[in-house]
Amino acid sequence: MRKTFGTGSVWEQKVGYSRAVQVDNTLYISATAASGEDGVVGADFYAQTRYILDKLGTVLADADADAGFGYEDVVQSKLYLTDISQWEEAGRAHGEIFGEIRPSLALVHVLPFLDPKMLVEIELVAQKSAG
């Protein structure tokens, strides 16, 4: 079973991607920035990471109305940072959510995003138990 989830963003159609794709019991969530209705939310690495993780919590829960995913189902997390020296601030926010769950993690230093106010993007993979 393959199912796609979108937000209605013009970028999804223009670029050809989905907010998330579920294949059987695994959910792949596209890299997500701290963008809200009024632009980028948060001016530092901690605030943006925390906002994104809260936003991704909703994506996880909304993905499959029957079963729903949660943070506890996340098996892989990738944080893309425009300034790797700020990894501790991003890591602190990540640890507040995933401290006990402990998914695999990649911290990746990247060039600036399309909007230079965006400091962080996060990509997740979640998997439900087969039983």
Coordinates of all heavy atoms in Angstrom, one line a residue, residues 24-83:
D24 N 3.1 0.8 3.3 CA 2.7 -0.2 4.3 C 2.8 0.5 5.7 O 2.0 1.4 6.0 CB 3.6 -1.4 4.2 CG 3.5 -2.1 2.8 OD1 2.3 -2.1 2.3 OD2 4.5 -2.5 2.3
N25 N 3.7 0.0 6.6 CA 3.7 0.5 8.0 C 4.8 1.6 8.2 O 5.2 1.8 9.3 CB 3.8 -0.6 9.0 CG 5.1 -1.4 8.8 OD1 5.8 -1.3 7.7 ND2 5.5 -2.1 9.8
T26 N 5.4 2.1 7.1 CA 6.4 3.1 7.2 C 6.0 4.4 6.6 O 5.4 4.5 5.5 CB 7.7 2.6 6.5 OG1 8.1 1.3 7.0 CG2 8.9 3.6 6.7
L27 N 6.3 5.5 7.3 CA 5.9 6.9 6.9 C 7.2 7.7 6.7 O 8.1 7.8 7.6 CB 5.1 7.6 8.0 CG 4.6 9.0 7.6 CD1 3.6 8.9 6.5 CD2 4.0 9.6 8.9
Y28 N 7.4 8.2 5.5 CA 8.5 9.0 5.1 C 8.0 10.5 5.1 O 7.1 10.8 4.3 CB 9.1 8.6 3.8 CG 9.5 7.2 3.7 CD1 8.6 6.2 3.4 CD2 10.8 6.8 4.1 CE1 8.9 4.9 3.3 CE2 11.2 5.4 4.0 CZ 10.2 4.5 3.6 OH 10.6 3.2 3.6
I29 N 8.6 11.4 5.9 CA 8.2 12.8 5.9 C 9.3 13.6 5.3 O 10.4 13.6 5.7 CB 7.9 13.2 7.3 CG1 6.8 12.4 8.0 CG2 7.4 14.7 7.3 CD1 6.5 12.7 9.4
S30 N 8.9 14.4 4.3 CA 9.8 15.3 3.6 C 10.4 16.3 4.6 O 9.8 16.7 5.6 CB 9.0 16.1 2.5 OG 8.6 15.3 1.5
A31 N 11.6 16.8 4.2 CA 12.3 17.8 5.0 C 11.3 19.0 5.2 O 10.7 19.5 4.2 CB 13.5 18.3 4.3
T32 N 11.2 19.5 6.4 CA 10.2 20.5 6.8 C 10.9 21.6 7.5 O 11.8 21.4 8.3 CB 9.2 19.8 7.8 OG1 8.6 18.7 7.1 CG2 8.2 20.8 8.2
A33 N 10.6 22.8 7.1 CA 11.2 24.0 7.7 C 10.2 24.7 8.7 O 9.0 24.3 8.7 CB 11.5 25.0 6.6
A34 N 10.6 25.7 9.3 CA 9.8 26.4 10.3 C 9.0 27.5 9.6 O 9.1 28.7 10.0 CB 10.7 27.0 11.4
S35 N 8.2 27.1 8.7 CA 7.4 28.1 8.0 C 5.9 28.0 8.5 O 5.4 26.9 8.6 CB 7.4 27.8 6.5 OG 7.1 26.5 6.2
G36 N 5.4 29.1 8.8 CA 4.0 29.3 9.2 C 3.3 30.1 8.3 O 3.8 30.5 7.2
E37 N 2.0 30.5 8.6 CA 1.2 31.3 7.8 C 1.8 32.7 7.5 O 1.6 33.3 6.4 CB -0.2 31.4 8.4 CG -1.0 30.1 8.3 CD -2.4 30.3 8.9 OE1 -2.9 31.4 8.9 OE2 -3.0 29.3 9.2
D38 N 2.6 33.2 8.4 CA 3.1 34.5 8.3 C 4.6 34.5 8.0 O 5.3 35.5 8.3 CB 2.9 35.3 9.6 CG 1.4 35.6 9.8 OD1 0.6 35.7 8.8 OD2 1.0 35.5 11.0
G39 N 5.1 33.4 7.5 CA 6.5 33.3 7.1 C 7.3 32.4 8.1 O 6.7 31.6 8.8
V40 N 8.6 32.6 8.2 CA 9.4 31.8 9.1 C 9.2 32.1 10.5 O 9.1 33.2 10.9 CB 10.9 32.0 8.7 CG1 11.8 31.2 9.7 CG2 11.2 31.6 7.3
V41 N 9.0 31.0 11.3 CA 8.7 31.1 12.7 C 10.0 30.8 13.5 O 10.6 29.8 13.3 CB 7.6 30.1 13.2 CG1 7.4 30.2 14.6 CG2 6.3 30.4 12.4
G42 N 10.4 31.7 14.4 CA 11.6 31.6 15.2 C 12.8 32.2 14.6 O 13.0 32.0 13.3
A43 N 13.6 32.8 15.4 CA 14.8 33.5 14.9 C 16.1 32.8 15.2 O 17.2 33.2 14.9 CB 14.9 34.9 15.4
D44 N 16.0 31.6 15.9 CA 17.2 30.9 16.3 C 17.0 29.4 16.1 O 16.0 28.9 15.8 CB 17.6 31.2 17.8 CG 16.6 30.8 18.8 OD1 16.1 29.7 18.8 OD2 16.2 31.7 19.6
F45 N 18.1 28.7 16.3 CA 18.1 27.2 16.0 C 17.2 26.4 16.9 O 16.5 25.5 16.5 CB 19.5 26.7 16.0 CG 20.3 27.1 14.7 CD1 20.9 28.3 14.6 CD2 20.4 26.2 13.7 CE1 21.5 28.7 13.4 CE2 21.0 26.5 12.5 CZ 21.6 27.8 12.4
Y46 N 17.2 26.8 18.2 CA 16.3 26.1 19.1 C 14.9 26.3 18.8 O 14.1 25.4 18.6 CB 16.6 26.6 20.6 CG 15.6 26.0 21.5 CD1 15.8 24.7 22.0 CD2 14.4 26.6 21.8 CE1 14.8 24.1 22.9 CE2 13.4 26.1 22.7 CZ 13.7 24.8 23.2 OH 12.7 24.2 24.0
A47 N 14.5 27.6 18.6 CA 13.0 27.9 18.3 C 12.6 27.3 17.0 O 11.4 26.7 17.0 CB 12.9 29.4 18.3
Q48 N 13.4 27.3 16.0 CA 12.9 26.7 14.7 C 12.8 25.2 14.8 O 11.9 24.6 14.3 CB 13.9 27.1 13.6 CG 13.6 28.6 13.2 CD 14.3 28.9 11.9 OE1 14.6 28.1 11.0 NE2 14.5 30.2 11.6
T49 N 13.8 24.6 15.5 CA 13.8 23.1 15.6 C 12.5 22.7 16.4 O 11.8 21.8 16.0 CB 15.1 22.6 16.3 OG1 16.2 23.0 15.5 CG2 15.0 21.1 16.5
R50 N 12.3 23.4 17.5 CA 11.1 23.1 18.3 C 9.8 23.3 17.5 O 8.9 22.4 17.6 CB 11.1 23.9 19.6 CG 10.1 23.5 20.6 CD 10.4 22.1 21.0 NE 9.2 21.5 21.5 CZ 9.1 20.8 22.6 NH1 10.1 20.6 23.4 NH2 7.9 20.3 23.0
Y51 N 9.7 24.3 16.8 CA 8.5 24.6 16.0 C 8.3 23.5 14.9 O 7.2 23.0 14.7 CB 8.6 26.0 15.3 CG 7.4 26.3 14.4 CD1 6.2 26.8 15.0 CD2 7.4 26.0 13.1 CE1 5.1 27.1 14.2 CE2 6.3 26.3 12.3 CZ 5.1 26.8 12.9 OH 4.0 27.1 12.1
I52 N 9.4 23.1 14.3 CA 9.3 22.1 13.2 C 8.9 20.8 13.8 O 8.0 20.1 13.3 CB 10.7 21.9 12.5 CG1 11.0 23.2 11.7 CG2 10.6 20.7 11.6 CD1 12.5 23.2 11.3
L53 N 9.5 20.4 15.0 CA 9.1 19.1 15.6 C 7.6 19.1 16.0 O 7.0 18.1 15.9 CB 10.0 18.8 16.8 CG 11.5 18.4 16.3 CD1 12.4 18.4 17.5 CD2 11.5 17.1 15.5
D54 N 7.1 20.2 16.5 CA 5.7 20.3 16.9 C 4.9 20.1 15.6 O 3.9 19.4 15.6 CB 5.4 21.6 17.6 CG 6.0 21.7 19.0 OD1 6.4 20.7 19.5 OD2 6.0 22.9 19.5
K55 N 5.3 20.8 14.5 CA 4.6 20.7 13.3 C 4.6 19.2 12.8 O 3.6 18.7 12.3 CB 5.3 21.6 12.3 CG 4.7 21.8 10.9 CD 5.5 22.9 10.2 CE 5.0 23.1 8.8 NZ 5.8 24.2 8.1
L56 N 5.7 18.6 12.9 CA 5.9 17.2 12.4 C 5.0 16.2 13.3 O 4.6 15.2 12.8 CB 7.3 16.8 12.4 CG 8.1 17.4 11.3 CD1 9.6 17.0 11.4 CD2 7.6 17.1 9.9
G57 N 4.8 16.6 14.6 CA 4.0 15.8 15.4 C 2.6 15.7 14.8 O 1.9 14.6 14.9
T58 N 2.1 16.8 14.3 CA 0.8 16.8 13.6 C 0.8 16.0 12.4 O -0.2 15.3 12.1 CB 0.4 18.3 13.3 OG1 0.4 19.0 14.6 CG2 -1.0 18.4 12.7
V59 N 1.9 16.1 11.6 CA 2.0 15.3 10.3 C 1.9 13.8 10.7 O 1.2 13.0 10.1 CB 3.3 15.6 9.6 CG1 3.5 14.7 8.4 CG2 3.2 17.1 9.1
L60 N 2.7 13.4 11.7 CA 2.7 12.0 12.2 C 1.3 11.6 12.5 O 0.8 10.5 12.1 CB 3.6 11.8 13.4 CG 5.1 11.9 13.1 CD1 5.9 12.1 14.4 CD2 5.6 10.6 12.4
A61 N 0.6 12.3 13.3 CA -0.8 12.0 13.8 C -1.8 11.9 12.7 O -2.7 11.1 12.7 CB -1.2 12.9 14.9
D62 N -1.7 12.8 11.7 CA -2.6 12.9 10.6 C -2.4 11.9 9.5 O -3.3 11.7 8.7 CB -2.6 14.3 10.0 CG -3.2 15.4 11.0 OD1 -3.8 15.0 12.0 OD2 -3.0 16.6 10.7
A63 N -1.2 11.3 9.5 CA -0.9 10.5 8.4 C -1.8 9.3 8.1 O -2.3 9.1 7.0 CB 0.6 9.9 8.5
D64 N -2.1 8.6 9.1 CA -3.0 7.5 9.0 C -4.1 7.6 10.0 O -3.9 7.3 11.2 CB -2.3 6.1 9.1 CG -3.1 4.9 8.8 OD1 -4.3 5.0 8.9 OD2 -2.5 3.9 8.4
A65 N -5.3 8.0 9.6 CA -6.4 8.2 10.5 C -6.8 6.9 11.3 O -7.3 7.0 12.4 CB -7.6 8.7 9.7
D66 N -6.5 5.8 10.7 CA -6.9 4.5 11.4 C -5.9 4.2 12.6 O -6.4 3.9 13.7 CB -6.9 3.3 10.4 CG -8.0 3.5 9.4 OD1 -9.0 4.1 9.7 OD2 -7.8 3.0 8.2
A67 N -4.6 4.3 12.3 CA -3.7 3.9 13.3 C -3.0 5.1 13.9 O -2.7 5.2 15.1 CB -2.6 3.0 12.7
G68 N -2.7 6.1 13.1 CA -1.9 7.3 13.5 C -0.5 6.9 13.9 O -0.2 5.8 14.3
F69 N 0.4 7.8 13.6 CA 1.8 7.6 14.0 C 2.0 8.6 15.1 O 1.3 9.6 15.3 CB 2.7 7.9 12.9 CG 2.8 6.9 11.8 CD1 1.9 6.9 10.8 CD2 3.8 5.9 11.8 CE1 1.9 5.9 9.8 CE2 3.8 4.9 10.8 CZ 2.9 4.9 9.8
G70 N 3.1 8.4 15.9 CA 3.5 9.3 16.9 C 5.0 9.4 17.0 O 5.7 8.7 16.3
Y71 N 5.4 10.3 17.8 CA 6.9 10.5 18.0 C 7.6 9.1 18.3 O 8.7 8.8 17.9 CB 7.2 11.5 19.1 CG 6.9 12.9 18.7 CD1 6.0 13.6 19.6 CD2 7.4 13.6 17.7 CE1 5.7 14.9 19.3 CE2 7.1 14.9 17.4 CZ 6.2 15.6 18.2 OH 5.9 16.9 18.0
E72 N 6.9 8.3 19.1 CA 7.4 7.0 19.5 C 7.7 6.1 18.3 O 8.4 5.1 18.5 CB 6.5 6.3 20.5 CG 5.2 5.9 20.0 CD 4.1 6.9 19.9 OE1 4.4 8.1 20.2 OE2 3.0 6.6 19.6
D73 N 7.1 6.4 17.2 CA 7.3 5.5 16.0 C 8.4 6.0 15.1 O 8.8 5.3 14.1 CB 6.0 5.5 15.2 CG 4.8 4.9 15.9 OD1 5.0 3.8 16.5 OD2 3.8 5.6 16.0
V74 N 9.0 7.1 15.4 CA 10.1 7.7 14.6 C 11.4 6.8 14.8 O 11.8 6.6 15.9 CB 10.4 9.1 15.0 CG1 11.6 9.6 14.2 CG2 9.2 10.0 14.6
V75 N 11.9 6.3 13.7 CA 13.1 5.5 13.7 C 14.4 6.2 13.2 O 15.5 5.8 13.4 CB 12.9 4.2 13.0 CG1 11.9 3.3 13.7 CG2 12.6 4.4 11.5
Q76 N 14.1 7.3 12.4 CA 15.2 8.1 11.9 C 14.9 9.6 11.8 O 13.8 9.9 11.4 CB 15.5 7.6 10.5 CG 16.8 8.2 9.8 CD 17.1 7.7 8.5 OE1 16.2 7.8 7.6 NE2 18.2 7.1 8.3
S77 N 15.8 10.4 12.2 CA 15.7 11.8 12.2 C 16.9 12.4 11.5 O 18.0 12.1 11.8 CB 15.5 12.3 13.6 OG 15.3 13.7 13.6
K78 N 16.7 13.4 10.6 CA 17.8 14.1 10.0 C 17.5 15.6 10.2 O 16.5 16.1 9.8 CB 17.8 13.8 8.5 CG 18.2 12.3 8.2 CD 18.2 12.1 6.7 CE 18.5 10.6 6.4 NZ 18.4 10.3 5.0
L79 N 18.5 16.3 10.8 CA 18.5 17.7 11.0 C 19.5 18.3 10.0 O 20.7 18.0 10.0 CB 18.8 18.1 12.4 CG 17.7 18.0 13.4 CD1 17.3 16.6 13.7 CD2 18.2 18.7 14.7
Y80 N 19.0 19.2 9.2 CA 19.8 20.0 8.3 C 20.0 21.4 8.8 O 19.0 22.1 9.0 CB 19.1 20.0 6.9 CG 18.9 18.7 6.3 CD1 17.6 18.0 6.5 CD2 19.9 18.0 5.6 CE1 17.4 16.8 5.9 CE2 19.7 16.7 5.1 CZ 18.4 16.1 5.3 OH 18.2 14.9 4.8
L81 N 21.2 21.8 9.1 CA 21.5 23.0 9.8 C 22.4 23.9 8.9 O 23.4 23.5 8.4 CB 22.3 22.8 11.1 CG 21.6 21.8 12.1 CD1 22.6 21.5 13.3 CD2 20.3 22.2 12.5
T82 N 22.0 25.2 8.8 CA 22.8 26.1 8.0 C 24.1 26.6 8.8 O 25.0 27.2 8.1 CB 22.0 27.4 7.6 OG1 21.5 28.0 8.8 CG2 20.8 27.0 6.7
D83 N 24.2 26.3 10.1 CA 25.4 26.7 10.9 C 25.6 25.5 11.8 O 24.9 25.4 12.9 CB 25.2 28.0 11.6 CG 26.4 28.4 12.4 OD1 27.3 27.6 12.5 OD2 26.3 29.5 12.9

